[in-house]
Amino acid sequence: MTAAPLSPAPTPWSAWGERLVAAGNGELMSVVNGTITSKPGWRSARTRKPSRATGGAMEQTAEPADLTTAIPSPPSATPAARPSRRRDAPRNRRPVQAPQLIEAARLADQLQAAGFTERDIARIIDRDPSLVSQFYTRHKGAAFVPALTRVLQAVQTAGITDTTELAAIAAPHITRRTTSSGTRARVRTRSVLITPAGTGTGRAGAQAIASGSTRLRALIAEAARQRLRLAFTVRLAKTAYVHPSGSRTDSPGIRRDVIQRADHTEERSYGSSATGGFDATDFARRTDRAAGDVTVAIHQWLVETGRIHPDARIIHLEIRTWRPRS
């Protein structure tokens, strides 16, 4: 018996270019790029009995076969997601070790446990408070170990708490560094810019104010030595001022010298070259009475003159100097 020629079945095309055709015996054949492959077990939906017109071959009906269940789904174009790595798996991490404190830092910790602050320790050893903080961060302070040891003994045994008395105890045990020739070594300090005309500016932010604004003390002292005039600008919360903005009672009494900020704070300037400013000698004495704390001296002046509330806190401070006209 001669097999009937392959006739394409009215079936849908698959997603990867495969075409299914039905042979004369009812089996489905796969045609991919001209290559014919049999699909055993796949048969056309309907076939008729052999007829004389086809020479005994199986005749396929003209109705399309439903092959949606027989054609496998094409492979997905998106690759399967990899399983996530377990985040709770233990990792071999080295334990973080606490930094080792030097002897000066341990003595400072014991003094702070006794009720002293870093600023008090700095006054006792006659240094800037920033140096005390460097006992912990940069391992400085080895030269102050003998002095701090004597001070700690005086606090623990004699119960001395006055910083002036403790400074007198520490002074004989503190020596300045010397050069190879035996002369006193120069210490790097912050330069205070005061021009020959007498103009100078110094600012202190939150961090400097917390340590007493000591960098402004040198500016005020030099201005007092040259008999200069000064003005200052402070930033406080709006509710910290007694008088409203632009009040004639409050200095300067004009709107353009009041700067309001989005964080509900306000900057106000006191003194100017037009109004004459303030005597730098007066504020130098106030700073000395406040143990060198410029912020405290300015705060006391503002409270005494009725411009801010006693519980107000200065956030920013700026001081300007100039030489008065003769």
Side-chain angles (χ1 to χ4, degrees), residues 200-277:
T201 304
R203 298 179 181 86
Q207 185 175 0
I209 289 176
S211 61
S213 304
T214 53
R215 69 180 64 178
L216 298 179
R217 183 181 185 182
L219 176 63
I220 295 178
E222 182 64 20
R225 189 184 68 83
Q226 298 186 23
R227 299 183 179 278
L228 304 180
R229 308 291 291 181
L230 62 83
F232 55 89
T233 300
V234 293
R235 184 195 304 172
L236 295 89
K238 292 181 180 180
T239 56
Y241 294 98
V242 175
H243 305 288
S245 301
S247 172
R248 294 184 177 273
T249 306
D250 190 16
S251 176
I254 49 179
R255 197 75 175 184
R256 60 184 177 86
D257 284 346
V258 176
I259 301 176
Q260 296 182 350
R261 297 182 172 270
D263 58 350
H264 304 289
T265 60
E266 192 171 280
E267 287 186 3
R268 297 190 184 184
S269 298
Y270 297 92
S272 65
S273 59
T275 60

Side-chain angles (χ1 to χ4, degrees), residues 5-318:
L6 296 176
S7 59
T11 59
W13 290 68
S14 64
W16 58 86
E18 181 181 17
R19 184 162 56 93
L20 301 178
V21 297
N25 57 359
E27 292 185 356
L28 295 180
M29 309 296 289
S30 172
V31 180
V32 180
N33 297 330
T35 304
I36 301 177
T37 307
S38 63
K39 297 288 186 180
W42 291 22
R43 299 187 64 84
S44 174
R46 293 183 182 179
T47 54
R48 292 181 180 177
K49 295 181 180 180
S51 62
R52 296 180 181 180
T54 59
M58 305 294 278
E59 183 179 359
Q60 186 179 3
T61 61
E63 299 179 12
D66 185 9
L67 301 177
T68 56
T69 58
I71 300 176
S73 60
S76 175
T78 305
R82 295 181 179 179
S84 59
R85 183 180 298 176
R86 294 182 60 186
R87 298 186 180 275
D88 56 348
R91 297 181 180 181
N92 296 329
R93 291 184 177 178
R94 295 181 180 179
V96 179
Q97 297 180 355
Q100 297 293 332
L101 297 179
I102 61 174
E103 184 64 21
R106 287 193 290 268
L107 293 172
D109 281 345
Q110 296 181 35
L111 288 174
Q112 292 182 48
F116 296 92
T117 62
E118 289 188 2
R119 188 184 302 176
D120 296 333
I121 299 174
R123 292 171 182 170
I124 292 172
I125 62 177
D126 193 21
R127 293 298 186 273
D128 193 87
S130 62
L131 178 61
V132 180
S133 63
Q134 292 179 15
F135 291 175
Y136 306 92
T137 58
R138 299 191 177 183
H139 303 290
K140 293 186 178 182
F144 302 99
V145 171
L148 292 175
T149 303
R150 300 299 190 282
V151 169
L152 185 61
Q153 291 175 356
V155 172
Q156 294 177 345
T157 58
I160 301 175
T161 58
D162 185 35
T163 56
T164 305
E165 296 182 16
L166 295 175
I169 296 174
H173 304 282
I174 299 176
T175 56
R176 289 283 188 178
R177 291 182 300 170
T178 58
T179 62
S180 57
S181 60
T183 59
R184 179 177 173 178
R186 293 182 300 174
V187 181
R188 291 174 296 178
T189 57
R190 296 181 181 269
S191 59
V192 179
L193 180 60
I194 294 184
T195 64
T199 58
T201 304
R203 298 179 181 86
Q207 185 175 0
I209 289 176
S211 61
S213 304
T214 53
R215 69 180 64 178
L216 298 179
R217 183 181 185 182
L219 176 63
I220 295 178
E222 182 64 20
R225 189 184 68 83
Q226 298 186 23
R227 299 183 179 278
L228 304 180
R229 308 291 291 181
L230 62 83
F232 55 89
T233 300
V234 293
R235 184 195 304 172
L236 295 89
K238 292 181 180 180
T239 56
Y241 294 98
V242 175
H243 305 288
S245 301
S247 172
R248 294 184 177 273
T249 306
D250 190 16
S251 176
I254 49 179
R255 197 75 175 184
R256 60 184 177 86
D257 284 346
V258 176
I259 301 176
Q260 296 182 350
R261 297 182 172 270
D263 58 350
H264 304 289
T265 60
E266 192 171 280
E267 287 186 3
R268 297 190 184 184
S269 298
Y270 297 92
S272 65
S273 59
T275 60
F278 306 101
D279 187 8
T281 306
D282 179 28
F283 277 88
R285 287 194 295 264
R286 289 177 175 272
T287 303
D288 293 337
R289 288 197 299 266
D293 196 327
V294 180
T295 308
V296 173
I298 298 295
H299 186 277
Q300 290 176 352
W301 183 87
L302 292 172
V303 172
E304 291 174 2
T305 55
R307 288 174 167 84
I308 65 173
H309 297 288
D311 58 345
R313 185 172 64 91
I314 298 177
I315 302 174
H316 178 82
L317 176 62
E318 176 183 319

